[in-house]
Amino acid sequence: MYGRRASQLLKEIDSSEADQLAPFNSDVFDQVIRECNEHNSQFQSLIRKMVDQNLDIETTRNEDHYGAAIHHLSLLRNKRCLMAYMCNRAEVIQSFRWKVGPVLPHDIQEKLHFSEKEYFKNHSAAIKSYMTEMDIDLTVDMVPPKDPYIQVRVLEDIGEVSLDDHSISLTKNSLHFLRRTDAEQFISQGLMEEFLE
């Protein structure tokens, strides 16, 4: 049945949690591309057949016309499904830049197609270029802070880190009182957490 594989991709998006990615479904994606190519070749074949019979493509209403219409509409439907699948994944990938920073965790990278990894890398580079040019860091303080300093607990050994006004040794399970802007990058990478008493 035409379009069943493409709708499978959309069901996959619908069944996944918001802002979460399932692994890229290369098998079904490639099957839909092959189906699109088949529809296109059938469509072209039917149109050529009508032209060879000297029939007016615009006004002729025979089995070849209706067959060509079915293949054309099936091709368009599959394209829309593929675009919706890719657009949804692109939106989630863009949101990762703001949630986890410029380096994706390994478990997320495993779910991405090669082209999606490149997309994330280019998206991150564009954001970094903009922040450098405008001399502003858009990744800190996504929610306006109540206090510019926070108490944090280090979750993994980070080592010696040079901050704006001093350097500090960040060892596992140590507590520190840091500026929110200094701690934000480590929190987003899961290396430390805000310590609430």
Side-chain angles (χ1 to χ4, degrees), residues 43-121:
F43 173 75
Q44 295 293 333
S45 173
L46 291 169
I47 294 298
R48 260 194 311 279
K49 182 179 174 186
M50 291 174 69
V51 169
D52 291 345
Q53 295 174 352
N54 293 324
L55 299 174
D56 184 9
I57 297 171
E58 299 292 323
T59 59
T60 302
R61 299 293 182 257
N62 62 10
E63 66 274 2
D64 292 333
H65 165 79
Y66 293 113
I70 288 171
H71 286 293
H72 180 68
L73 293 174
S74 297
L75 179 62
L76 291 178
R77 182 180 186 281
N78 282 350
K79 280 176 55 177
R80 281 196 311 272
C81 290
L82 290 173
M83 294 295 287
Y85 182 72
M86 293 306 294
C87 181
N88 179 273
R89 290 183 67 86
E91 288 173 354
V92 174
I93 291 167
Q94 286 177 6
S95 73
F96 286 151
R97 175 59 175 90
W98 301 106
K99 291 177 184 172
V100 299
V103 178
L104 289 174
H106 184 67
D107 61 321
I108 293 176
Q109 284 189 24
E110 288 178 337
K111 296 178 181 180
L112 300 181
H113 186 267
F114 171 75
S115 61
E116 292 175 320
K117 292 177 187 175
E118 284 297 309
Y119 178 75
F120 180 81
K121 184 173 133 187

